[in-house]
Amino acid sequence: MRWSRYFLYTSKEDPAEAEAPSHRLLLRAGFVKQVSAGVYEILPAGWRVIRKIESVIRKEMDRSGAQELLLTVLNPAELWKETGRWDSYGDELFRLKDRNSREYCLGPTHEEEITDLVRRFIRSYRQLPLILYQIQVKFRDEKRPRFGLIRGREFLMKDAYSFDTDEMSAMMSYETMKFAYDRIFKKLRLNVVMAEASVGNIGGSMSHEFIAPTEYGEARFGYCENCSYAANAEIIPLPKPAQESEEERPLEKVKTPGTKTIEALSDFLKVPPRKILKALLYRVKDEWLMVLIRGDREVDENKLEAVLGTDEFRLATDEEVRELLGTEKGFIGIFNLPDRIRTLWDNSVHGVKNMVVALNEPDWHYVNANPGRDFHYGEFADLAQVADGDPCPKCGSPLKVRTGLEVGHIFLLGTRYSEPMKAYYTDPEGKERPIVMGCYGIGVSRVMAAIVEQNHDDKGIKWPTPVAPFELEVLCLNMSDKDMASVAEKIYMEAEEKGIETIYDDREESAGFKFADADLVGFPYRIVVGKKVKEGKVEIQKRATGESWDVPVGEAVNRVKELIEEDKR
Ligand code: ATP
Ligand code: MG
């Protein structure tokens, strides 16, 4: 491909609001273009990457015995009503009507449609097990579409569904998919951690997430280097600590002017944050909830959601705090609470002694408040975010906690869909039984972003060779130099002939411009045709490591071919 003819337009400017490196770089490098919030076009170079990701996925899915098909984007509402998800899916579902007022949604996932398909053809245990999959565009009206391809409202997913006669057999399908995922992510050169995940409210029995560790990521996970336990942070339990043994000191009321944060209060009183009782006021639907947690801990809102059984909650506003408690944030306490405020005590505050506690009076705190004597516990729950160093629930060693991107999610569904949709088969005794299902997703477009998150520097992307849009760039430093241009042309032709995916930067631009673009777009190898052509030499550069080699013109292509083959092995 000649760059002068290629639909690949880079930009020097950093797009506003693009926080995540992948978002910024994929836009700047001309791989994607935003159409509206969370909606992106994938441009030719980006599409080449996607196609490669898809092809890795296809190969491994096919190899594991799964069969590809293509379901529809337009899903009739009736199917979703059968499982109750027409209502429960909420605002994330894009709903629409056709000209005859028939209702549809744009598929955000396809359990309903595939279960409908399977119940029409599968009658007997002899037809099971079965795994079907598709690579399809999905639609979800996300509350916060952000980070470019990472959280889109329209995105590409590989979704697979398994159908088995019983739990045991379903577990085997699940294991088969686990192995396939392992191979897929290795081949994509994506570093992932397989973490135990919440089974949520679907009522399934097992779930794992494949999380790519990245600096920008919405998923938090903990892992143990001792026993190899790994789980999404939201399901890592933090039990109640043992009773502290300190002597109880007398309660004192202390003026703490302007100490609105734990940090400020801790500095002012010279006590560690763990000795401060933090109180947070939440609005839950139309009720009030106060969460009490140790000052060195944060509330994990996913844990809170699991405990409350709803995601309809938010922190109270300054105004609401004033109205309800007559105080300011920073001075919210457990004293003189109106009855209609429910309290939940995080496990972390169990057994504490001599705490700093606010009393709903601006600029004042109690010090040396003790449970039982000065205040009383209520209902306990596990609400705190897991942090680095917390104990592994399996072996007690300190956990490491990191952020990442969930690139895949596998799920043992059981009969959550087959029961309500009456997807039954007949067993050898002639008895009708519900099919046992599993579902398995990979965020294809999110994978592209995750690869960039894990492979970039200040200058741009460093595509791993197996997923690079082109394997080689031939860069001619000066197109008006006839010698250079003709050598570059020759090398380009030879590389194409030898089956290397090559882009030839034949644009009439300065050397500096071309180098900057090459770094930004990030093709794994570069053959630079410059002044050394006079000595019969060109330079090979490797983007990932910055290594470079001067080689004779006639050997360059073969050398690059070897390097590429090595990378792909
Ligand atoms: P998340 O917790 O990130 O919202 P999810 O649990 O809703 O993910 P699944 O329904 O399991 O995701 O979808 C399967 C895969 O699809 C996810 O593992 C993720 O890689 C991808 N995915 C989900 N939502 C999006 C999105 N809005 N944009 C891009 N990819 C997505
Ligand atoms: Mg989601």
Side-chain angles (χ1 to χ4, degrees):
M1 178 58 64
R2 287 167 202 276
W3 200 330
S4 59
R5 305 296 317 142
Y6 196 46
F7 195 87
L8 175 57
Y9 300 101
T10 61
S11 133
K12 299 280 168 277
E13 253 131 80
D14 262 342
E17 286 179 15
E19 273 178 82
S22 63
H23 187 192
R24 182 163 47 81
L25 291 172
L26 288 170
L27 282 169
R28 278 194 49 202
F31 285 74
V32 301
K33 188 195 147 286
Q34 185 175 13
V35 174
S36 63
V39 181
Y40 287 82
E41 290 156 343
I42 298 176
L43 308 184
W47 191 241
R48 288 181 71 100
V49 177
I50 293 284
R51 299 278 296 202
K52 287 191 176 177
I53 295 171
E54 288 181 353
S55 114
V56 166
I57 293 175
R58 281 202 172 91
K59 209 174 267 165
E60 291 303 329
M61 291 303 290
D62 292 349
R63 186 169 141 188
S64 70
Q67 302 167 45
E68 185 172 3
L69 46 49
L70 187 63
L71 301 172
T72 64
V73 168
L74 273 181
N75 281 204
E78 293 85 74
L79 293 181
W80 285 72
K81 286 177 180 165
E82 284 186 50
T83 61
R85 289 212 292 183
W86 184 255
D87 293 321
S88 68
Y89 216 91
D91 289 339
E92 227 174 272
L93 202 59
F94 276 105
R95 298 157 208 260
L96 68 161
K97 283 194 179 130
D98 70 11
R99 64 174 78 204
N100 299 314
S101 294
R102 237 175 252 128
E103 288 178 302
Y104 291 86
C105 66
L106 304 179
T109 172
H110 282 86
E111 284 82 6
E112 279 77 1
E113 193 181 336
I114 198 122
T115 307
D116 176 57
L117 176 72
V118 163
R119 72 181 166 186
R120 284 161 202 276
F121 290 97
I122 301 296
R123 297 266 172 265
S124 153
Y125 71 95
R126 286 192 194 87
Q127 294 164 284
L128 298 173
L130 171 70
I131 303 180
L132 298 170
Y133 79 98
Q134 65 171 339
I135 297 179
Q136 170 74 283
V137 57
K138 296 279 192 275
F139 296 84
R140 294 184 184 180
D141 199 355
E142 298 275 356
K143 211 194 277 178
R144 276 189 294 274
R146 54 182 183 164
F147 299 152
L149 295 185
I150 291 174
R151 185 165 298 280
R153 296 195 299 161
E154 174 177 337
F155 58 96
L156 283 167
M157 198 202 285
K158 184 285 301 176
D159 45 326
Y161 305 87
S162 65
F163 304 88
D164 284 88
T165 51
D166 53 46
E167 276 282 324
M168 267 302 278
S169 165
M171 286 280 285
M172 308 247 292
S173 296
Y174 190 85
E175 289 299 316
T176 304
M177 285 295 104
K178 238 191 208 168
F179 280 121
Y181 273 41
D182 191 46
R183 287 194 303 264
I184 287 169
F185 292 121
K186 282 207 175 88
K187 285 195 169 172
L188 292 173
R189 302 295 187 265
L190 197 61
N191 170 20
V192 299
V193 173
M194 188 179 77
E196 291 176 23
S198 155
V199 290
N201 48 16
I202 305 191
S205 50
M206 191 158 56
S207 166
H208 286 90
E209 284 170 358
F210 293 78
I211 302 179
T214 54
E215 195 180 327
Y216 276 85
E218 298 168 302
R220 289 177 80 245
F221 66 100
Y223 64 97
C224 174
E225 282 174 334
N226 182 48
C227 75
S228 78
Y229 167 84
N232 189 310
E234 71 194 38
I235 63 157
I236 299 179
L238 288 173
K240 289 180 187 166
Q243 172 74 48
E244 289 179 2
S245 57
E246 247 166 70
E247 192 86 19
E248 290 188 3
R249 292 191 289 266
L251 186 71
E252 248 183 281
K253 191 172 163 183
V254 182
K255 186 144 191 164
T256 57
T259 52
K260 286 195 151 196
T261 61
I262 296 287
E263 209 189 354
L265 186 60
S266 153
D267 281 351
F268 183 82
L269 292 173
K270 311 247 172 327
V271 296
R274 65 187 308 282
K275 284 293 189 187
I276 299 172
L277 185 67
K278 180 155 71 177
L280 299 152
L281 188 65
Y282 283 94
R283 183 81 174 155
V284 184
K285 290 184 175 163
D286 47 12
E287 285 167 7
W288 296 104
L289 171 74
M290 185 176 285
V291 170
L292 292 312
I293 186 167
R294 230 168 54 191
D296 60 335
R297 291 282 188 187
E298 302 296 327
V299 171
D300 183 329
E301 298 209 330
N302 292 317
K303 283 188 175 178
L304 184 58
E305 180 181 333
V307 169
L308 297 176
T310 174
D311 67 349
E312 289 173 56
F313 59 82
R314 58 168 175 80
L315 280 171
T317 62
D318 292 351
E319 197 54 43
E320 287 166 338
V321 168
R322 247 170 254 140
E323 207 164 289
L324 205 70
L325 300 172
T327 191
E328 298 291 327
K329 280 190 185 167
F331 302 98
I332 301 177
I334 25 162
F335 299 98
N336 310 316
L337 288 192
D339 282 345
R340 58 204 168 101
I341 301 183
R342 172 186 169 197
T343 59
L344 263 183
W345 297 71
D346 177 58
N347 283 348
S348 61
V349 293
H350 176 263
V352 290
K353 285 273 168 88
N354 300 318
M355 296 294 280
V356 176
V357 180
L359 51 142
N360 294 324
E361 202 179 314
D363 295 344
W364 286 92
H365 278 90
Y366 281 132
V367 297
N368 299 330
N370 282 291
R373 187 188 73 183
D374 310 311
F375 63 89
H376 297 281
Y377 289 137
E379 186 186 339
F380 273 96
D382 175 16
L383 301 172
Q385 265 186 23
V386 170
D388 241 14
D390 279 332
C392 167
K394 288 269 151 69
C395 76
S397 304
L399 287 173
K400 293 224 153 68
V401 177
R402 299 286 179 269
T403 55
L405 294 174
E406 179 199 312
V407 287
H409 196 173
I410 61 176
F411 218 111
L412 204 56
L413 293 169
T415 58
R416 163 68 181 90
Y417 296 90
S418 51
E419 282 280 19
M421 295 188 73
K422 302 197 171 52
Y424 293 144
Y425 72 95
T426 319
D427 74 7
E429 278 80 52
K431 213 172 150 223
E432 293 239 296
R433 293 181 183 281
I435 297 173
V436 181
M437 289 173 56
C439 71
Y440 314 89
I442 292 181
V444 175
S445 39
R446 187 182 282 182
V447 161
M448 172 151 103
I451 292 171
V452 176
E453 291 292 331
Q454 288 187 352
N455 299 276
H456 71 274
D457 60 16
D458 296 347
K459 294 180 188 154
I461 304 170
K462 302 172 172 184
W463 290 109
T465 308
V467 293
F470 291 93
E471 296 160 333
L472 169 67
E473 171 181 346
V474 178
L475 196 160
C476 178
L477 280 190
N478 182 357
M479 292 303 292
S480 28
D481 181 319
K482 291 236 166 57
D483 287 346
M484 279 191 212
S486 84
V487 169
E489 177 77 22
K490 230 179 68 200
I491 289 179
Y492 167 55
M493 300 303 269
E494 185 190 339
E496 288 267 277
E497 216 164 275
K498 294 200 161 136
I500 301 175
E501 297 172 17
T502 308
I503 184 162
Y504 171 26
D505 192 350
D506 60 341
R507 296 172 301 170
E508 309 273 354
E509 299 282 358
S510 73
F513 181 96
K514 287 183 171 182
F515 275 124
D517 262 7
D519 281 340
L520 174 63
V521 176
F523 307 113
Y525 292 98
R526 216 179 280 165
I527 295 179
V528 180
V529 184
K531 290 215 180 71
K532 286 182 206 138
V533 153
K534 290 200 175 54
E535 307 154 29
K537 288 201 167 151
V538 291
E539 185 172 320
I540 297 174
Q541 297 178 346
K542 180 170 177 157
R543 176 70 179 98
T545 58
E547 289 167 283
S548 65
W549 304 269
D550 281 342
V551 292
V553 170
E555 289 172 21
V557 172
N558 283 336
R559 181 82 185 95
V560 166
K561 199 172 160 67
E562 282 166 22
L563 289 164
I564 290 171
E565 274 161 14
E566 218 168 282
D567 287 353
K568 289 212 227 162
R569 227 169 274 141

